[in-house]
Amino acid sequence: MQIMGCKSFLSFICLTGYLCSRAFCDGPYQPNWKSLDSRPLPSWYDESKFGIFIHWGVFSVPSFGSEWFWWHWKGSKDPSYVAFMEKNYPPGFEYTDFAPEFTATFFNPDQWAELFEESGARYVVLTSKHHEGFTNWGSPVSWNWNSIDTGPHRDLVGDLAAAVRRRKLYYGVYHSLLEWFNPLFLYDKLNKFKTQKFVVEKTLPELYELVMRYKPDIIWSDGDWEGPDTYWNSTGFLAWLYNDSPVKDTVVTNDRWGVGCACKHGGFYDCKDKYSPGELQNHKWEMCTSIDKRSWGYRRNMMMSDVMDLPSLLTNLLDTIAYGGNFLLNIGPTKDGTIAPIFEERLRGLGQWLRVNGEAIYASTPWRVQKETSTNIIWYTSKGSSVYGIFTKWPIDNILQLESPKTFPNTTVTMLGIPKPLKWTTSPTKGLLISLSPLSPFTAPSKNGWTVKMEGVS
Protein backbone atom coordinates (compact mmCIF):
# COMPACT_ATOMS: atom_id res chain seq x y z
CA MET A 1 0.00 0.00 0.00
CA GLN A 2 1.34 3.41 -0.95
CA ILE A 3 0.62 6.12 1.59
CA MET A 4 0.36 9.59 0.12
CA GLY A 5 2.84 12.08 1.47
CA CYS A 6 2.33 15.82 1.37
CA LYS A 7 3.38 16.40 -2.25
CA SER A 8 1.71 13.32 -3.71
CA PHE A 9 -1.46 14.05 -1.79
CA LEU A 10 -1.47 17.62 -3.08
CA SER A 11 -1.05 16.24 -6.61
CA PHE A 12 -4.09 14.02 -6.07
CA ILE A 13 -6.17 17.03 -5.04
CA CYS A 14 -5.07 18.96 -8.13
CA LEU A 15 -5.68 16.08 -10.51
CA THR A 16 -9.19 15.53 -9.19
CA GLY A 17 -10.09 19.17 -9.71
CA TYR A 18 -10.22 20.32 -6.12
CA LEU A 19 -8.62 23.32 -4.49
CA CYS A 20 -4.91 23.25 -5.20
CA SER A 21 -2.48 25.35 -3.20
CA ARG A 22 0.95 25.13 -1.68
CA ALA A 23 -0.66 25.96 1.65
CA PHE A 24 -1.35 22.27 2.10
CA CYS A 25 2.36 21.59 2.37
CA ASP A 26 3.25 24.86 4.05
CA GLY A 27 0.38 25.06 6.56
CA PRO A 28 0.71 24.53 10.29
CA TYR A 29 -0.79 21.02 10.29
CA GLN A 30 1.12 18.11 8.86
CA PRO A 31 -0.42 14.74 7.89
CA ASN A 32 0.36 13.00 11.19
CA TRP A 33 -1.70 12.65 14.33
CA LYS A 34 0.68 14.54 16.61
CA SER A 35 0.32 17.62 14.43
CA LEU A 36 -3.40 17.24 13.67
CA ASP A 37 -4.35 16.59 17.29
CA SER A 38 -2.70 19.87 18.28
CA ARG A 39 -5.34 21.88 16.39
CA PRO A 40 -7.64 23.76 18.80
CA LEU A 41 -11.30 22.85 18.48
CA PRO A 42 -13.26 25.83 17.07
CA SER A 43 -15.14 27.37 20.00
CA TRP A 44 -18.56 27.41 18.33
CA TYR A 45 -18.87 23.66 18.74
CA ASP A 46 -18.39 23.54 22.51
CA GLU A 47 -20.67 26.54 22.95
CA SER A 48 -23.48 24.98 20.90
CA LYS A 49 -23.91 21.91 23.16
CA PHE A 50 -26.93 20.39 21.38
CA GLY A 51 -27.37 19.11 17.84
CA ILE A 52 -29.74 17.04 15.70
CA PHE A 53 -28.57 13.89 13.92
CA ILE A 54 -30.52 12.64 10.87
CA HIS A 55 -30.25 9.11 9.44
CA TRP A 56 -31.98 9.10 6.06
CA GLY A 57 -31.37 6.98 2.99
CA VAL A 58 -32.57 4.02 0.94
CA PHE A 59 -32.84 2.05 4.19
CA SER A 60 -35.80 4.33 4.98
CA VAL A 61 -37.83 2.47 2.32
CA PRO A 62 -37.99 -1.01 3.88
CA SER A 63 -37.92 0.79 7.24
CA PHE A 64 -37.64 -2.48 9.09
CA GLY A 65 -35.21 -3.39 11.84
CA SER A 66 -32.60 -0.70 11.40
CA GLU A 67 -30.56 1.36 8.95
CA TRP A 68 -28.29 -1.69 8.63
CA PHE A 69 -31.10 -3.45 6.72
CA TRP A 70 -29.02 -4.36 3.65
CA TRP A 71 -26.24 -5.87 5.73
CA HIS A 72 -28.60 -7.85 7.96
CA TRP A 73 -30.43 -9.15 4.90
CA LYS A 74 -27.53 -9.96 2.55
CA GLY A 75 -24.45 -9.78 4.76
CA SER A 76 -25.20 -11.59 8.02
CA LYS A 77 -28.41 -13.12 6.58
CA ASP A 78 -30.37 -12.47 9.75
CA PRO A 79 -33.43 -14.80 9.63
CA SER A 80 -35.87 -12.03 10.56
CA TYR A 81 -34.72 -9.84 7.67
CA VAL A 82 -34.70 -12.73 5.21
CA ALA A 83 -38.22 -13.67 6.28
CA PHE A 84 -39.38 -10.06 5.94
CA MET A 85 -38.19 -9.94 2.34
CA GLU A 86 -39.62 -13.35 1.45
CA LYS A 87 -42.99 -12.36 2.85
CA ASN A 88 -43.24 -8.86 1.36
CA TYR A 89 -41.23 -8.81 -1.88
CA PRO A 90 -41.02 -11.04 -4.96
CA PRO A 91 -38.11 -13.40 -5.70
CA GLY A 92 -35.18 -11.64 -7.32
CA PHE A 93 -35.90 -8.31 -5.64
CA GLU A 94 -32.61 -6.51 -4.96
CA TYR A 95 -31.75 -3.81 -2.45
CA THR A 96 -31.16 -1.35 -5.28
CA ASP A 97 -34.82 -1.82 -6.26
CA PHE A 98 -35.76 0.12 -3.13
CA ALA A 99 -34.13 3.31 -4.44
CA PRO A 100 -37.00 4.52 -6.70
CA GLU A 101 -39.28 4.35 -3.66
CA PHE A 102 -37.02 6.69 -1.71
CA THR A 103 -39.03 9.61 -3.04
CA ALA A 104 -38.77 12.35 -0.37
CA THR A 105 -42.13 13.50 -1.78
CA PHE A 106 -43.08 15.52 1.29
CA PHE A 107 -39.59 16.68 2.23
CA ASN A 108 -39.83 20.33 3.15
CA PRO A 109 -36.39 21.47 4.33
CA ASP A 110 -37.76 24.72 5.75
CA GLN A 111 -40.20 22.79 7.94
CA TRP A 112 -37.37 20.57 9.14
CA ALA A 113 -35.18 23.58 9.88
CA GLU A 114 -38.00 25.28 11.79
CA LEU A 115 -38.45 22.16 13.94
CA PHE A 116 -34.73 21.89 14.63
CA GLU A 117 -34.55 25.54 15.61
CA GLU A 118 -37.56 25.12 17.89
CA SER A 119 -35.92 22.09 19.50
CA GLY A 120 -33.15 24.34 20.79
CA ALA A 121 -30.48 22.59 18.71
CA ARG A 122 -27.61 24.75 17.49
CA TYR A 123 -26.31 22.38 14.80
CA VAL A 124 -27.63 19.71 12.42
CA VAL A 125 -25.81 16.67 10.99
CA LEU A 126 -27.31 14.84 7.98
CA THR A 127 -26.22 11.50 6.58
CA SER A 128 -24.69 12.38 3.23
CA LYS A 129 -23.92 8.67 2.71
CA HIS A 130 -24.41 5.64 4.95
CA HIS A 131 -22.69 2.25 4.62
CA GLU A 132 -25.08 1.33 1.78
CA GLY A 133 -23.20 3.80 -0.45
CA PHE A 134 -26.20 5.82 -1.66
CA THR A 135 -25.29 9.51 -1.66
CA ASN A 136 -27.88 12.13 -0.74
CA TRP A 137 -26.41 14.47 -3.32
CA GLY A 138 -25.46 13.99 -6.96
CA SER A 139 -22.00 12.58 -6.39
CA PRO A 140 -20.23 11.99 -9.73
CA VAL A 141 -18.41 8.96 -8.24
CA SER A 142 -21.69 7.33 -7.20
CA TRP A 143 -23.25 7.11 -10.65
CA ASN A 144 -26.94 6.13 -10.62
CA TRP A 145 -26.76 5.47 -6.88
CA ASN A 146 -27.49 8.97 -5.64
CA SER A 147 -30.43 11.23 -4.90
CA ILE A 148 -30.23 13.11 -8.22
CA ASP A 149 -30.17 10.13 -10.59
CA THR A 150 -32.82 8.11 -8.78
CA GLY A 151 -35.31 8.34 -5.92
CA PRO A 152 -35.87 11.96 -4.87
CA HIS A 153 -34.19 13.48 -7.95
CA ARG A 154 -33.03 16.37 -5.79
CA ASP A 155 -30.00 17.46 -3.79
CA LEU A 156 -31.03 16.53 -0.25
CA VAL A 157 -27.73 17.60 1.31
CA GLY A 158 -27.81 21.00 -0.38
CA ASP A 159 -31.51 21.70 0.15
CA LEU A 160 -31.27 21.07 3.89
CA ALA A 161 -28.01 23.02 4.14
CA ALA A 162 -29.67 26.13 2.73
CA ALA A 163 -32.71 25.85 5.02
CA VAL A 164 -30.69 25.18 8.16
CA ARG A 165 -28.33 28.07 7.51
CA ARG A 166 -31.25 30.45 6.97
CA ARG A 167 -32.08 29.66 10.61
CA LYS A 168 -28.49 30.51 11.62
CA LEU A 169 -27.79 26.93 12.66
CA TYR A 170 -24.50 25.15 11.96
CA TYR A 171 -24.59 22.36 9.42
CA GLY A 172 -22.62 19.13 9.24
CA VAL A 173 -22.47 15.98 7.16
CA TYR A 174 -22.17 12.39 8.28
CA HIS A 175 -20.13 10.34 5.81
CA SER A 176 -19.32 6.64 5.86
CA LEU A 177 -15.81 5.81 4.72
CA LEU A 178 -16.76 2.26 3.72
CA GLU A 179 -19.53 0.71 1.62
CA TRP A 180 -20.54 -2.84 2.49
CA PHE A 181 -20.91 -4.24 -1.00
CA ASN A 182 -18.97 -1.86 -3.23
CA PRO A 183 -16.73 -4.02 -5.51
CA LEU A 184 -13.82 -1.60 -5.11
CA PHE A 185 -14.02 -1.80 -1.33
CA LEU A 186 -14.33 -5.61 -1.44
CA TYR A 187 -11.27 -5.70 -3.72
CA ASP A 188 -9.21 -3.71 -1.20
CA LYS A 189 -10.55 -5.81 1.64
CA LEU A 190 -9.54 -9.01 -0.17
CA ASN A 191 -6.05 -7.52 -0.48
CA LYS A 192 -6.04 -6.87 3.28
CA PHE A 193 -6.22 -3.12 2.61
CA LYS A 194 -2.81 -3.00 0.96
CA THR A 195 -4.47 -1.53 -2.13
CA GLN A 196 -6.48 1.71 -2.11
CA LYS A 197 -8.67 1.64 -5.21
CA PHE A 198 -11.83 2.34 -3.20
CA VAL A 199 -10.24 5.17 -1.22
CA VAL A 200 -8.76 6.94 -4.23
CA GLU A 201 -11.71 6.44 -6.57
CA LYS A 202 -14.61 6.79 -4.14
CA THR A 203 -14.04 7.88 -0.54
CA LEU A 204 -11.63 10.78 -1.01
CA PRO A 205 -13.42 12.32 -4.02
CA GLU A 206 -16.66 12.28 -2.04
CA LEU A 207 -15.10 13.94 0.99
CA TYR A 208 -13.47 16.67 -1.07
CA GLU A 209 -16.66 17.33 -2.99
CA LEU A 210 -18.71 17.58 0.22
CA VAL A 211 -16.25 20.15 1.57
CA MET A 212 -15.96 22.21 -1.60
CA ARG A 213 -19.65 22.14 -2.51
CA TYR A 214 -21.35 22.48 0.89
CA LYS A 215 -18.64 23.89 3.17
CA PRO A 216 -19.80 21.88 6.19
CA ASP A 217 -19.18 23.00 9.75
CA ILE A 218 -18.85 19.35 10.85
CA ILE A 219 -17.54 16.25 9.12
CA TRP A 220 -18.88 13.32 11.11
CA SER A 221 -16.91 10.33 9.85
CA ASP A 222 -17.99 6.71 10.31
CA GLY A 223 -17.45 3.28 8.79
CA ASP A 224 -13.80 3.26 9.75
CA TRP A 225 -13.60 0.01 11.67
CA GLU A 226 -12.22 -2.36 9.02
CA GLY A 227 -9.20 -0.45 7.74
CA PRO A 228 -6.41 1.52 9.44
CA ASP A 229 -6.19 5.29 9.06
CA THR A 230 -3.28 4.76 6.67
CA TYR A 231 -5.62 2.90 4.30
CA TRP A 232 -8.16 5.73 4.42
CA ASN A 233 -5.42 8.38 4.08
CA SER A 234 -7.18 10.13 6.95
CA THR A 235 -4.26 12.24 8.07
CA GLY A 236 -3.66 13.54 4.55
CA PHE A 237 -7.27 14.54 4.13
CA LEU A 238 -7.43 16.20 7.54
CA ALA A 239 -4.21 18.13 6.90
CA TRP A 240 -5.77 19.53 3.72
CA LEU A 241 -9.03 20.20 5.57
CA TYR A 242 -7.31 22.14 8.38
CA ASN A 243 -4.74 23.95 6.23
CA ASP A 244 -6.24 24.70 2.88
CA SER A 245 -9.97 24.00 2.64
CA PRO A 246 -12.59 26.77 2.60
CA VAL A 247 -13.66 25.73 6.12
CA LYS A 248 -10.16 25.34 7.57
CA ASP A 249 -10.78 27.74 10.47
CA THR A 250 -14.29 26.63 11.44
CA VAL A 251 -14.75 22.94 10.65
CA VAL A 252 -14.81 20.32 13.40
CA THR A 253 -14.34 16.58 13.00
CA ASN A 254 -14.89 13.52 15.11
CA ASP A 255 -12.59 10.59 15.88
CA ARG A 256 -13.68 7.81 13.47
CA TRP A 257 -10.82 7.86 10.98
CA GLY A 258 -9.51 4.30 11.12
CA VAL A 259 -9.06 1.30 13.37
CA GLY A 260 -7.78 2.43 16.76
CA CYS A 261 -8.48 6.15 16.24
CA ALA A 262 -11.68 6.37 18.28
CA CYS A 263 -11.18 8.16 21.60
CA LYS A 264 -7.56 8.88 20.59
CA HIS A 265 -7.38 11.08 17.51
CA GLY A 266 -9.47 13.70 15.75
CA GLY A 267 -11.46 16.75 16.79
CA PHE A 268 -14.12 15.75 19.31
CA TYR A 269 -14.42 12.17 20.57
CA ASP A 270 -17.47 9.96 20.02
CA CYS A 271 -15.62 6.82 21.17
CA LYS A 272 -18.68 4.61 20.55
CA ASP A 273 -22.39 5.02 19.92
CA LYS A 274 -24.26 6.39 22.93
CA TYR A 275 -20.97 7.06 24.74
CA SER A 276 -21.55 8.52 28.21
CA PRO A 277 -18.45 8.40 30.44
CA GLY A 278 -20.10 9.69 33.62
CA GLU A 279 -17.01 11.70 34.57
CA LEU A 280 -15.02 14.66 33.31
CA GLN A 281 -12.81 13.98 30.30
CA ASN A 282 -9.60 15.72 29.28
CA HIS A 283 -10.82 16.04 25.68
CA LYS A 284 -14.02 17.39 24.15
CA TRP A 285 -16.52 14.60 23.56
CA GLU A 286 -20.02 14.04 22.21
CA MET A 287 -22.83 11.66 23.09
CA CYS A 288 -24.85 10.60 20.05
CA THR A 289 -28.07 8.77 20.76
CA SER A 290 -31.43 8.20 19.09
CA ILE A 291 -35.01 8.89 20.13
CA ASP A 292 -35.81 5.41 18.82
CA LYS A 293 -33.80 3.29 21.24
CA ARG A 294 -33.45 0.41 18.77
CA SER A 295 -32.55 2.14 15.52
CA TRP A 296 -31.06 5.26 13.94
CA GLY A 297 -33.12 4.98 10.78
CA TYR A 298 -36.92 5.10 10.63
CA ARG A 299 -38.74 1.83 11.45
CA ARG A 300 -42.35 1.12 10.60
CA ASN A 301 -42.28 -1.55 13.33
CA MET A 302 -41.25 0.94 16.03
CA MET A 303 -43.28 0.54 19.22
CA MET A 304 -44.12 3.28 21.71
CA SER A 305 -41.99 1.48 24.30
CA ASP A 306 -39.01 1.91 21.94
CA VAL A 307 -39.26 5.70 22.06
CA MET A 308 -37.34 7.65 24.68
CA ASP A 309 -39.64 9.83 26.77
CA LEU A 310 -38.92 13.49 27.45
CA PRO A 311 -37.61 13.01 31.03
CA SER A 312 -35.14 10.40 29.76
CA LEU A 313 -33.96 12.70 26.98
CA LEU A 314 -33.52 15.53 29.47
CA THR A 315 -31.53 13.27 31.79
CA ASN A 316 -29.28 12.27 28.89
CA LEU A 317 -28.78 15.93 27.99
CA LEU A 318 -27.89 16.92 31.55
CA ASP A 319 -25.54 13.98 32.08
CA THR A 320 -23.74 15.01 28.91
CA ILE A 321 -23.50 18.77 29.45
CA ALA A 322 -22.53 18.56 33.13
CA TYR A 323 -19.53 16.40 32.22
CA GLY A 324 -18.43 18.66 29.36
CA GLY A 325 -19.89 16.85 26.35
CA ASN A 326 -22.17 17.78 23.47
CA PHE A 327 -25.51 16.04 22.94
CA LEU A 328 -26.34 14.85 19.40
CA LEU A 329 -29.90 13.52 19.22
CA ASN A 330 -30.96 11.41 16.24
CA ILE A 331 -34.20 11.10 14.32
CA GLY A 332 -34.98 8.92 11.30
CA PRO A 333 -37.33 10.50 8.72
CA THR A 334 -39.61 8.38 6.52
CA LYS A 335 -38.89 7.59 2.88
CA ASP A 336 -41.35 10.39 1.99
CA GLY A 337 -39.38 12.98 3.94
CA THR A 338 -41.71 13.38 6.90
CA ILE A 339 -40.70 13.33 10.56
CA ALA A 340 -42.84 11.12 12.78
CA PRO A 341 -45.13 13.16 15.07
CA ILE A 342 -43.71 11.42 18.15
CA PHE A 343 -40.20 12.60 17.18
CA GLU A 344 -41.51 16.11 16.62
CA GLU A 345 -43.24 16.08 20.01
CA ARG A 346 -40.02 15.07 21.76
CA LEU A 347 -37.96 17.74 19.97
CA ARG A 348 -40.42 20.52 20.68
CA GLY A 349 -40.57 19.40 24.31
CA LEU A 350 -36.80 19.77 24.62
CA GLY A 351 -37.06 23.18 22.97
CA GLN A 352 -39.66 24.38 25.45
CA TRP A 353 -37.38 23.35 28.31
CA LEU A 354 -34.32 24.97 26.75
CA ARG A 355 -36.11 28.27 26.16
CA VAL A 356 -36.32 28.65 29.93
CA ASN A 357 -33.19 26.82 31.05
CA GLY A 358 -30.84 27.27 28.11
CA GLU A 359 -28.74 29.82 29.97
CA ALA A 360 -27.43 26.93 32.08
CA ILE A 361 -26.65 24.85 28.97
CA TYR A 362 -25.34 26.91 26.04
CA ALA A 363 -21.71 28.06 26.36
CA SER A 364 -21.59 26.61 29.87
CA THR A 365 -18.58 24.88 31.39
CA PRO A 366 -18.39 22.07 33.94
CA TRP A 367 -18.34 23.23 37.54
CA ARG A 368 -16.03 21.78 40.21
CA VAL A 369 -18.88 19.37 41.06
CA GLN A 370 -20.88 17.91 38.21
CA LYS A 371 -23.55 16.02 40.11
CA GLU A 372 -24.67 15.69 43.70
CA THR A 373 -23.36 12.39 45.04
CA SER A 374 -26.31 11.89 47.38
CA THR A 375 -28.91 12.08 44.61
CA ASN A 376 -29.22 11.29 40.94
CA ILE A 377 -31.41 14.26 40.07
CA ILE A 378 -29.23 17.36 40.56
CA TRP A 379 -26.60 18.50 38.04
CA TYR A 380 -24.30 21.55 38.00
CA THR A 381 -22.95 23.77 35.25
CA SER A 382 -21.25 27.16 35.37
CA LYS A 383 -20.74 30.27 33.27
CA GLY A 384 -18.52 33.10 34.41
CA SER A 385 -19.34 33.80 38.06
CA SER A 386 -22.69 31.98 37.88
CA VAL A 387 -23.30 28.43 39.06
CA TYR A 388 -26.42 26.60 37.96
CA GLY A 389 -28.12 23.78 39.83
CA ILE A 390 -30.49 21.81 37.61
CA PHE A 391 -32.95 19.40 39.25
CA THR A 392 -35.56 17.07 37.77
CA LYS A 393 -37.57 16.10 40.85
CA TRP A 394 -39.42 18.77 42.80
CA PRO A 395 -38.82 18.44 46.57
CA ILE A 396 -41.94 17.43 48.47
CA ASP A 397 -41.39 20.07 51.17
CA ASN A 398 -40.54 22.81 48.62
CA ILE A 399 -36.99 22.99 50.02
CA LEU A 400 -34.19 22.29 47.55
CA GLN A 401 -31.15 20.88 49.31
CA LEU A 402 -27.75 21.43 47.65
CA GLU A 403 -24.77 20.00 49.50
CA SER A 404 -21.95 21.24 47.25
CA PRO A 405 -22.18 25.06 46.92
CA LYS A 406 -20.36 27.13 49.56
CA THR A 407 -22.27 30.32 50.34
CA PHE A 408 -21.25 33.80 51.46
CA PRO A 409 -23.18 36.78 52.83
CA ASN A 410 -23.57 38.21 49.30
CA THR A 411 -24.88 34.96 47.78
CA THR A 412 -28.06 35.34 45.71
CA VAL A 413 -30.29 32.61 44.26
CA THR A 414 -32.92 32.88 41.54
CA MET A 415 -34.80 30.40 39.38
CA LEU A 416 -34.40 30.73 35.61
CA GLY A 417 -37.60 32.18 34.24
CA ILE A 418 -38.38 34.04 37.48
CA PRO A 419 -36.41 37.22 38.28
CA LYS A 420 -37.42 37.48 41.96
CA PRO A 421 -34.70 36.13 44.31
CA LEU A 422 -35.39 32.95 46.28
CA LYS A 423 -34.89 32.79 50.02
CA TRP A 424 -32.16 30.52 51.29
CA THR A 425 -30.38 29.42 54.43
CA THR A 426 -27.68 26.92 55.31
CA SER A 427 -27.41 23.89 57.55
CA PRO A 428 -24.17 22.40 58.93
CA THR A 429 -25.34 18.93 57.88
CA LYS A 430 -27.53 19.61 54.84
CA GLY A 431 -25.73 22.45 53.08
CA LEU A 432 -27.60 25.12 51.10
CA LEU A 433 -31.38 25.06 51.61
CA ILE A 434 -33.37 26.99 49.00
CA SER A 435 -37.04 27.76 49.56
CA LEU A 436 -39.03 27.22 46.37
CA SER A 437 -42.30 28.48 47.89
CA PRO A 438 -44.75 29.70 46.73
CA LEU A 439 -43.86 27.88 43.50
CA SER A 440 -44.84 24.31 42.68
CA PRO A 441 -43.94 21.98 39.81
CA PHE A 442 -47.22 23.09 38.22
CA THR A 443 -46.56 26.84 38.46
CA ALA A 444 -42.79 26.84 37.85
CA PRO A 445 -41.61 28.30 34.51
CA SER A 446 -40.69 24.91 32.97
CA LYS A 447 -41.69 21.27 33.25
CA ASN A 448 -39.65 18.11 33.87
CA GLY A 449 -36.70 20.10 35.18
CA TRP A 450 -35.82 23.43 36.79
CA THR A 451 -32.69 25.52 37.30
CA VAL A 452 -31.55 27.66 40.19
CA LYS A 453 -28.91 30.27 39.38
CA MET A 454 -26.47 31.04 42.15
CA GLU A 455 -24.20 34.08 42.33
CA GLY A 456 -21.55 34.52 45.01
CA VAL A 457 -20.94 30.84 45.71
CA SER A 458 -17.84 28.69 45.41
Side-chain angles (χ1 to χ4, degrees), residues 28 60 66 115 117 127 141 198 218 222 238 243 264 305 343 373 399 429 451 454:
S60 306
S66 84
L115 173 61
E117 182 183 40
T127 45
V141 294
F198 178 72
I218 300 173
D222 197 16
L238 291 173
N243 287 332
K264 293 181 180 179
S305 58
F343 294 162
T373 56
I399 301 295
T429 57
T451 303
M454 295 166 281

Side-chain angles (χ1 to χ4, degrees), residues 159-227:
D159 288 352
L160 186 60
V164 163
R165 285 168 169 156
R166 280 194 291 270
R167 299 276 176 171
K168 307 302 182 185
L169 305 179
Y170 294 96
Y171 186 66
V173 291
Y174 165 108
H175 176 268
S176 174
L177 297 173
L178 66 75
E179 296 175 19
W180 289 312
F181 302 111
N182 188 298
L184 295 177
F185 177 71
L186 295 177
Y187 173 83
D188 288 346
K189 185 176 180 178
L190 185 64
N191 290 330
K192 298 182 179 179
F193 301 110
K194 293 181 180 180
T195 56
Q196 294 175 290
K197 287 183 68 65
F198 178 72
V199 174
V200 172
E201 297 181 31
K202 193 69 163 64
T203 299
L204 289 176
E206 286 176 345
L207 284 168
Y208 285 118
E209 185 176 14
L210 285 169
V211 172
M212 298 307 296
R213 182 181 292 192
Y214 304 109
K215 299 174 177 58
D217 301 297
I218 300 173
I219 296 182
W220 212 102
S221 182
D222 197 16
D224 62 315
W225 55 81
E226 293 205 44

Side-chain angles (χ1 to χ4, degrees), residues 46-81:
D46 177 61
E47 293 168 359
S48 295
K49 302 300 182 185
F50 174 37
I52 300 296
F53 211 2
I54 308 165
H55 275 68
W56 199 29
V58 173
F59 51 81
S60 306
V61 177
S63 53
F64 172 85
S66 84
E67 71 289 346
W68 278 52
F69 183 93
W70 196 3
W71 176 259
H72 291 314
W73 174 32
K74 291 294 189 177
S76 65
K77 301 186 186 302
D78 185 301
S80 63
Y81 289 78

Side-chain angles (χ1 to χ4, degrees), residues 120-393:
R122 296 291 174 86
Y123 61 97
V124 176
V125 179
L126 173 69
T127 45
S128 67
K129 184 193 77 172
H130 201 255
H131 315 317
E132 64 187 11
F134 187 92
T135 63
N136 281 328
W137 85 99
S139 170
V141 294
S142 190
W143 181 81
N144 209 36
W145 192 232
N146 65 72
S147 65
I148 296 294
D149 293 339
T150 187
H153 298 293
R154 63 188 292 187
D155 182 355
L156 304 179
V157 174
D159 288 352
L160 186 60
V164 163
R165 285 168 169 156
R166 280 194 291 270
R167 299 276 176 171
K168 307 302 182 185
L169 305 179
Y170 294 96
Y171 186 66
V173 291
Y174 165 108
H175 176 268
S176 174
L177 297 173
L178 66 75
E179 296 175 19
W180 289 312
F181 302 111
N182 188 298
L184 295 177
F185 177 71
L186 295 177
Y187 173 83
D188 288 346
K189 185 176 180 178
L190 185 64
N191 290 330
K192 298 182 179 179
F193 301 110
K194 293 181 180 180
T195 56
Q196 294 175 290
K197 287 183 68 65
F198 178 72
V199 174
V200 172
E201 297 181 31
K202 193 69 163 64
T203 299
L204 289 176
E206 286 176 345
L207 284 168
Y208 285 118
E209 185 176 14
L210 285 169
V211 172
M212 298 307 296
R213 182 181 292 192
Y214 304 109
K215 299 174 177 58
D217 301 297
I218 300 173
I219 296 182
W220 212 102
S221 182
D222 197 16
D224 62 315
W225 55 81
E226 293 205 44
D229 63 278
T230 49
Y231 167 70
W232 300 113
N233 273 314
S234 298
T235 56
F237 168 73
L238 291 173
W240 171 82
L241 184 71
Y242 295 165
N243 287 332
D244 208 30
S245 80
V247 291
K248 62 185 177 67
D249 297 323
T250 56
V251 71
V252 298
T253 63
N254 65 341
D255 57 351
R256 300 184 184 189
W257 295 102
V259 174
C261 287
C263 252
K264 293 181 180 179
H265 299 298
F268 59 88
Y269 291 170
D270 282 295
C271 298
K272 60 181 179 180
D273 291 351
K274 303 184 180 182
Y275 174 65
S276 183
E279 60 183 9
L280 280 180
Q281 303 295 296
N282 59 10
H283 193 95
K284 184 63 186 183
W285 61 280
E286 177 184 76
M287 180 197 188
C288 60
T289 192
S290 187
I291 296 180
D292 178 356
K293 292 179 283 188
R294 297 179 58 186
S295 176
W296 301 86
Y298 177 73
R299 296 185 302 130
R300 286 179 287 169
N301 56 329
M302 180 179 66
M303 305 294 289
M304 191 65 186
S305 58
D306 298 329
V307 179
M308 291 183 70
D309 59 22
L310 187 56
S312 297
L313 290 171
L314 182 57
T315 296
N316 273 214
L317 172 71
L318 296 175
D319 270 337
T320 301
I321 304 305
Y323 291 110
N326 272 27
F327 186 58
L328 185 63
L329 182 61
N330 178 76
I331 59 169
T334 70
K335 65 176 184 178
D336 301 315
T338 60
I339 296 173
I342 191 63
F343 294 162
E344 179 177 353
E345 188 271 343
R346 296 295 191 264
L347 294 182
R348 292 192 185 277
L350 279 174
Q352 291 172 359
W353 188 88
L354 283 165
R355 276 192 288 277
V356 176
N357 300 278
E359 179 184 333
I361 303 298
Y362 304 118
S364 66
T365 56
W367 193 45
R368 63 174 177 83
V369 176
Q370 291 79 57
K371 203 171 184 178
E372 285 289 6
T373 56
S374 62
T375 177
N376 202 39
I377 57 169
I378 300 175
W379 296 259
Y380 292 102
T381 63
S382 64
K383 187 186 299 182
S385 63
S386 303
V387 175
Y388 303 91
I390 309 165
F391 59 105
T392 55
K393 184 177 181 181

